[in-house]
């Protein structure tokens, strides 16, 4: 760290610049100067998919982060905030999570994210269609343990399977790019499901990887949905190999079924065995709403009218939105904590971990909380 950075991060600098903090002043001089926060300049935006009538095209966005970026491990994601709506009552920062798609980065190094433009989405549509090189975005440090090296220093297994669908390819691309750069001596089976060749992300690069003698077997499956039989045919030894899967929630459910109760050393999962398969969801998993019962009621701390309705079994965030409320949210996946609210009573299930909790007056993330019976929440 340079002397200037040490000074800028000192308590004296914090005291002198209170209450706004050093970064508010540095940003005024140069948006790429920061002592604590991480920001990035968009360097380029390259279209990845080429289907003419595609309502959700994908683009890869190259970001030059500030020197405060500490780097990422393959498979991790960042929370990225964009200022949208400049001029209409002032810009509002909206934040979403995106996996880093490029090979592992070091402090201050450029990296890419690969984004599908959700036609009704706020941030993805902005990044793919409206953002321009030069725009500054706000970042978190890299997060998440969906990596091939869960603890820094752990050796990468000598045999890996990656199963991905659609834009879920992004963390796996970072893993494969990293392993190839590190001249990984093991063997990887990379199985990707896309709608068609025109919807294929990183098509040329994957073709080149497939043609080379580098230990990576690429299987691109176009126009078919995932089935256990297809996986069995493509990767016959998959039941004894550690696997990473990322893609649409419905596909991940099927991959999870294909891996049943398989664990790394054969110890049953309910006796502490580590699952053979690691999964990453971009959206909450498909919820079983068949047995939903009771009512959900929301009161608003702002004094605005609350709402009450039949429990539909959806997440509390979705149920609040369906009742016409607009609670704050960011990632909608339990990562950013922007949707935390107090549950006054009732039991909720965490839709990612499956755990339930019934404690009264507890703070919960409503985006991943499914009410089990009646539930009261203060938004
Ligand atoms: C760990 C992680 C990694 C991810 N990595 C990637 C990646 O690499 N690439 C990628 O493309 N995506 C990735 N995502 C998904 C990404 O974070 C966003 O969810 C996605 O881009 C859509 O965001 P958006 O702002 O465009 O859409 P949003 O504005 O959040 O809208 C998403 C959907 O919710 C609906 N919705 C929004 N507000 C309401 C409301 N008030 N009422 C009812 N419905 C509503 C919209 O209609 C839309 O269909 C990742 C997510 C996670 C959790
Ligand atoms: S919206 Fe991010 S944790 Fe709920």
């Amino acid at each position: 760290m340079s002397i200037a950075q040490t000074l800028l991060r000192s308590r004296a600098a914090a005291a002198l610049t209170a209450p706004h903090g050093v970064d508010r002043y540095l940003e005024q001089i140069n948006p790429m100067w920061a002592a604590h926060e991480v920001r990035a300049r968009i360097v380029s935006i390259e279209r990845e998919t080429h289907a003419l009538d595609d309502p959700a095209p994908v683009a890869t966005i190259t970001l030059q982060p500030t020197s405060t970026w500490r780097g990422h491990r393959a498979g991790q994601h960042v929370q990225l905030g964009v200022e949208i709506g400049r001029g209409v009552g002032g810009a509002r920062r909206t934040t979403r999570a995106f996996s880093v798609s490029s090979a592992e980065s070091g402090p201050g190094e450029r990296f890419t994210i690969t984004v599908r433009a959700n036609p009704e989405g706020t941030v993805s549509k902005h990044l793919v269609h409206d953002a321009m090189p030069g725009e500054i975005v706000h970042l978190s440090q890299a997060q998440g343990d969906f990596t091939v090296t869960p603890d820094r220093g752990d050796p990468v297994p000598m045999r890996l399977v990656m199963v991905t669908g659609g834009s879920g390819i992004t963390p796996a691309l970072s893993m494969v790019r990293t392993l190839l750069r590190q001249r990984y001596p093991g063997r990887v089976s990379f199985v990707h499901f896309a709608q068609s060749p025109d919807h294929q992300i990183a098509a040329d690069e994957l073709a080149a990887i497939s043609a080379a003698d580098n230990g990576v077997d690429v299987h691109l499956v176009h126009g078919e949905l995932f089935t256990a039989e297809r996986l069995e045919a493509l990767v016959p030894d998959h039941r004894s190999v550690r696997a990473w899967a990322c893609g649409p929630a419905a596909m991940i459910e099927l991959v999870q079924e294909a891996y049943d109760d398989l664990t790394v050393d054969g110890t049953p999962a309910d006796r502490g065995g580590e699952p053979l398969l690691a999964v990453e969801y971009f959206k909450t998993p498909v919820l079983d709403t068949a047995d939903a019962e009771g009512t959900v009621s929301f009161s608003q701390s702002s004094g605005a009218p609350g709402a009450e309705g039949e429990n539909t079994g959806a997440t509390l965030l979705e149920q609040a939105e369906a009742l016409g409320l607009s609670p704050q949210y960011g990632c909608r996946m339990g990562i950013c904590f922007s949707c935390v609210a107090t549950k006054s009573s009732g039991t909720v299930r965490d839709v990612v971990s499956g755990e339930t909790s019934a404690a009264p007056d507890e703070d919960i993330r409503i985006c991943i909380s499914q009410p089990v019976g009646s539930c009261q929440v203060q938004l």
Side-chain angles (χ1 to χ4, degrees):
M1 194 188 296
S2 70
I3 295 173
Q5 276 172 321
T6 310
L7 283 173
L8 287 169
R9 288 178 196 174
S10 68
R11 282 197 197 157
L16 280 171
T17 54
H20 302 298
V22 181
D23 284 333
R24 282 290 79 74
Y25 292 93
L26 290 175
E27 188 185 20
Q28 302 301 316
I29 308 166
N30 182 334
M32 289 299 284
W33 286 356
H36 304 281
E37 287 176 9
V38 191
R39 290 181 225 113
R41 179 168 45 80
I42 294 180
V43 176
S44 63
I45 303 164
E46 306 284 339
R47 181 84 180 252
E48 282 279 354
T49 52
H50 301 282
L52 291 177
D53 57 350
D54 188 357
V58 176
T60 288
I61 296 154
T62 302
L63 298 167
Q64 173 60 61
T66 46
S67 60
T68 40
W69 170 250
R70 292 201 286 265
H72 84 283
R73 279 187 289 154
Q76 288 192 302
H77 61 267
V78 284
Q79 289 182 50
L80 181 148
V82 291
E83 312 276 348
I84 299 180
R86 217 175 278 276
V88 191
R92 208 172 129 203
R93 187 180 307 171
T94 311
T95 302
R96 300 287 182 265
F98 294 98
S99 302
V100 179
S101 52
S102 48
E104 285 188 355
S105 63
E109 278 180 5
R110 276 184 188 186
F111 63 90
T112 63
I113 56 170
T114 299
V115 178
R116 177 178 301 282
N118 181 327
E120 286 131 37
T122 314
V123 176
S124 62
K125 210 169 60 170
H126 171 82
L127 287 171
V128 174
H129 295 302
D130 304 327
M132 299 289 283
E135 179 173 327
I136 301 291
V137 298
H138 299 261
L139 296 177
S140 67
Q141 295 289 356
Q143 303 173 333
D145 51 13
F146 184 72
T147 67
V148 282
T149 49
D151 289 313
R152 215 176 263 276
D154 274 6
V156 180
M158 290 303 284
R159 175 88 184 92
L160 307 172
V161 177
M162 293 169 199
V163 185
T164 61
S167 53
I169 196 173
T170 50
L173 274 179
S174 179
M175 292 176 189
V176 164
R177 287 166 171 163
T178 304
L179 294 174
L180 287 173
R181 192 170 72 183
Q182 293 173 347
R183 300 189 187 285
Y184 168 69
R187 196 158 71 82
V188 181
S189 295
F190 186 108
V191 186
H192 178 68
F193 291 79
Q195 257 175 280
S196 76
D198 284 345
H199 291 86
Q200 180 61 53
I201 295 167
D204 294 346
E205 182 184 351
L206 289 171
I209 292 174
S210 181
D213 178 17
N214 53 18
V216 181
D217 306 323
V218 179
H219 306 282
L220 301 181
V221 186
H222 294 142
E224 273 179 50
L225 297 178
F226 173 89
T227 60
E229 294 70 32
R230 198 75 163 103
L231 181 61
E232 181 76 43
L234 295 172
V235 190
D237 66 344
H238 74 274
R239 298 188 134 252
S240 58
V241 177
R242 289 188 75 130
W244 281 258
C246 185
M251 172 185 149
I252 297 293
E253 303 269 309
L254 296 174
V255 179
Q256 231 151 6
E257 271 172 37
Y259 276 81
D260 291 333
D261 206 17
L262 298 176
T263 55
V264 174
D265 67 357
T267 309
D270 58 6
R271 283 203 268 124
E274 189 188 344
L276 201 58
L277 176 72
V279 298
E280 175 105 300
Y281 283 98
F282 284 181
K283 277 183 175 177
T284 47
V286 185
L287 298 186
D288 181 359
T289 57
D291 296 330
E293 55 182 39
T295 55
V296 288
S297 62
F298 299 96
S299 56
Q300 302 209 69
S301 51
S302 61
E308 184 171 302
E310 294 269 303
N311 176 10
T312 61
T315 62
L316 283 165
L317 172 59
E318 286 167 340
Q319 297 206 44
E321 286 172 345
L323 290 169
L325 307 179
S326 306
Q328 280 217 342
Y329 71 81
C331 65
R332 294 178 88 95
M333 264 308 294
I335 293 168
C336 69
F337 288 77
S338 22
C339 67
V340 170
T342 306
K343 169 170 68 67
S344 326
S345 65
T347 300
V348 288
R349 178 182 293 114
D350 179 321
V351 302
V352 179
S353 71
E355 282 168 22
T356 54
S357 74
D361 292 322
E362 88 179 311
D363 282 349
I364 55 167
R365 288 161 290 169
I366 58 171
C367 68
I368 53 160
S369 297
Q370 178 187 34
V372 182
S374 294
C375 201
Q376 276 189 316
V377 178
Q378 303 162 32
L379 295 177

